[in-house]
mmCIF file of all heavy atoms in Angstrom:
data_model
loop_
_atom_site.group_PDB
_atom_site.id
_atom_site.type_symbol
_atom_site.label_atom_id
_atom_site.label_comp_id
_atom_site.label_asym_id
_atom_site.label_seq_id
_atom_site.Cartn_x
_atom_site.Cartn_y
_atom_site.Cartn_z
ATOM 1 N N GLY A 64 1.857 12.095 4.919
ATOM 2 C CA GLY A 64 1.228 13.111 5.753
ATOM 3 C C GLY A 64 1.699 14.497 5.349
ATOM 4 O O GLY A 64 1.919 14.782 4.168
ATOM 5 N N LYS A 65 1.921 15.332 6.343
ATOM 6 C CA LYS A 65 2.279 16.733 6.117
ATOM 7 C C LYS A 65 3.726 16.896 5.655
ATOM 8 O O LYS A 65 4.596 16.099 6.003
ATOM 9 C CB LYS A 65 2.111 17.521 7.419
ATOM 10 C CG LYS A 65 0.687 17.649 7.875
ATOM 11 C CD LYS A 65 0.621 18.465 9.149
ATOM 12 C CE LYS A 65 -0.825 18.594 9.605
ATOM 13 N NZ LYS A 65 -0.931 19.421 10.813
ATOM 14 N N LEU A 66 3.953 17.976 4.919
ATOM 15 C CA LEU A 66 5.308 18.407 4.603
ATOM 16 C C LEU A 66 5.908 18.912 5.906
ATOM 17 O O LEU A 66 5.365 19.798 6.555
ATOM 18 C CB LEU A 66 5.296 19.514 3.550
ATOM 19 C CG LEU A 66 6.642 20.141 3.209
ATOM 20 C CD1 LEU A 66 7.565 19.135 2.535
ATOM 21 C CD2 LEU A 66 6.449 21.357 2.311
ATOM 22 N N LEU A 67 7.044 18.320 6.312
ATOM 23 C CA LEU A 67 7.662 18.681 7.585
ATOM 24 C C LEU A 67 8.788 19.689 7.445
ATOM 25 O O LEU A 67 8.974 20.544 8.310
ATOM 26 C CB LEU A 67 8.232 17.423 8.257
ATOM 27 C CG LEU A 67 7.244 16.336 8.624
ATOM 28 C CD1 LEU A 67 7.977 15.124 9.174
ATOM 29 C CD2 LEU A 67 6.241 16.864 9.634
ATOM 30 N N TYR A 68 9.538 19.582 6.373
ATOM 31 C CA TYR A 68 10.784 20.335 6.297
ATOM 32 C C TYR A 68 11.243 20.397 4.856
ATOM 33 O O TYR A 68 10.969 19.493 4.077
ATOM 34 C CB TYR A 68 11.827 19.594 7.158
ATOM 35 C CG TYR A 68 13.196 20.183 7.187
ATOM 36 C CD1 TYR A 68 13.483 21.324 7.912
ATOM 37 C CD2 TYR A 68 14.237 19.569 6.493
ATOM 38 C CE1 TYR A 68 14.764 21.845 7.945
ATOM 39 C CE2 TYR A 68 15.516 20.088 6.522
ATOM 40 C CZ TYR A 68 15.766 21.229 7.252
ATOM 41 O OH TYR A 68 17.027 21.751 7.278
ATOM 42 N N MET A 69 11.935 21.457 4.518
ATOM 43 C CA MET A 69 12.591 21.513 3.224
ATOM 44 C C MET A 69 13.951 22.172 3.413
ATOM 45 O O MET A 69 14.146 22.964 4.330
ATOM 46 C CB MET A 69 11.759 22.231 2.180
ATOM 47 C CG MET A 69 11.299 23.603 2.533
ATOM 48 S SD MET A 69 10.196 24.278 1.289
ATOM 49 C CE MET A 69 11.371 25.059 0.222
ATOM 50 N N GLN A 70 14.892 21.779 2.562
ATOM 51 C CA GLN A 70 16.218 22.380 2.646
ATOM 52 C C GLN A 70 16.776 22.595 1.251
ATOM 53 O O GLN A 70 16.396 21.908 0.305
ATOM 54 C CB GLN A 70 17.172 21.521 3.483
ATOM 55 C CG GLN A 70 17.596 20.223 2.858
ATOM 56 C CD GLN A 70 18.647 19.495 3.690
ATOM 57 O OE1 GLN A 70 19.191 20.016 4.648
ATOM 58 N NE2 GLN A 70 18.931 18.280 3.318
ATOM 59 N N GLN A 71 17.668 23.542 1.170
ATOM 60 C CA GLN A 71 18.337 23.862 -0.083
ATOM 61 C C GLN A 71 19.828 23.932 0.219
ATOM 62 O O GLN A 71 20.247 24.545 1.201
ATOM 63 C CB GLN A 71 17.838 25.207 -0.602
ATOM 64 C CG GLN A 71 18.484 25.661 -1.885
ATOM 65 C CD GLN A 71 17.940 27.015 -2.342
ATOM 66 O OE1 GLN A 71 17.360 27.765 -1.563
ATOM 67 N NE2 GLN A 71 18.137 27.315 -3.609
ATOM 68 N N TYR A 72 20.625 23.281 -0.610
ATOM 69 C CA TYR A 72 22.070 23.349 -0.419
ATOM 70 C C TYR A 72 22.770 23.150 -1.751
ATOM 71 O O TYR A 72 22.182 22.720 -2.721
ATOM 72 C CB TYR A 72 22.553 22.319 0.617
ATOM 73 C CG TYR A 72 22.358 20.873 0.224
ATOM 74 C CD1 TYR A 72 23.388 20.167 -0.392
ATOM 75 C CD2 TYR A 72 21.165 20.207 0.474
ATOM 76 C CE1 TYR A 72 23.222 18.840 -0.756
ATOM 77 C CE2 TYR A 72 20.998 18.885 0.115
ATOM 78 C CZ TYR A 72 22.025 18.206 -0.492
ATOM 79 O OH TYR A 72 21.865 16.898 -0.850
ATOM 80 N N ARG A 73 24.046 23.461 -1.761
ATOM 81 C CA ARG A 73 24.854 23.341 -2.973
ATOM 82 C C ARG A 73 26.083 22.500 -2.657
ATOM 83 O O ARG A 73 26.755 22.726 -1.665
ATOM 84 C CB ARG A 73 25.280 24.718 -3.465
ATOM 85 C CG ARG A 73 25.995 24.718 -4.797
ATOM 86 C CD ARG A 73 26.345 26.127 -5.249
ATOM 87 N NE ARG A 73 25.239 27.066 -5.161
ATOM 88 C CZ ARG A 73 24.331 27.269 -6.107
ATOM 89 N NH1 ARG A 73 24.398 26.603 -7.237
ATOM 90 N NH2 ARG A 73 23.367 28.147 -5.950
ATOM 91 N N GLU A 74 26.360 21.519 -3.523
ATOM 92 C CA GLU A 74 27.562 20.705 -3.388
ATOM 93 C C GLU A 74 28.775 21.495 -3.890
ATOM 94 O O GLU A 74 28.625 22.488 -4.608
ATOM 95 C CB GLU A 74 27.443 19.420 -4.209
ATOM 96 C CG GLU A 74 26.478 18.425 -3.648
ATOM 97 C CD GLU A 74 26.462 17.130 -4.441
ATOM 98 O OE1 GLU A 74 26.792 17.138 -5.649
ATOM 99 O OE2 GLU A 74 26.122 16.107 -3.839
ATOM 100 N N GLU A 75 29.954 21.029 -3.547
ATOM 101 C CA GLU A 75 31.175 21.680 -4.025
ATOM 102 C C GLU A 75 31.230 21.725 -5.550
ATOM 103 O O GLU A 75 31.805 22.633 -6.136
ATOM 104 C CB GLU A 75 32.409 20.967 -3.477
ATOM 105 C CG GLU A 75 32.631 21.218 -2.002
ATOM 106 C CD GLU A 75 33.901 20.567 -1.500
ATOM 107 O OE1 GLU A 75 34.825 20.313 -2.307
ATOM 108 O OE2 GLU A 75 33.970 20.316 -0.297
#
Side-chain angles (χ1 to χ4, degrees):
K65 293 181 180 182
L66 175 66
L67 298 176
Y68 178 75
M69 54 186 270
Q70 70 174 351
Q71 179 180 19
Y72 64 94
R73 186 178 312 273
E74 288 184 334
E75 287 183 24

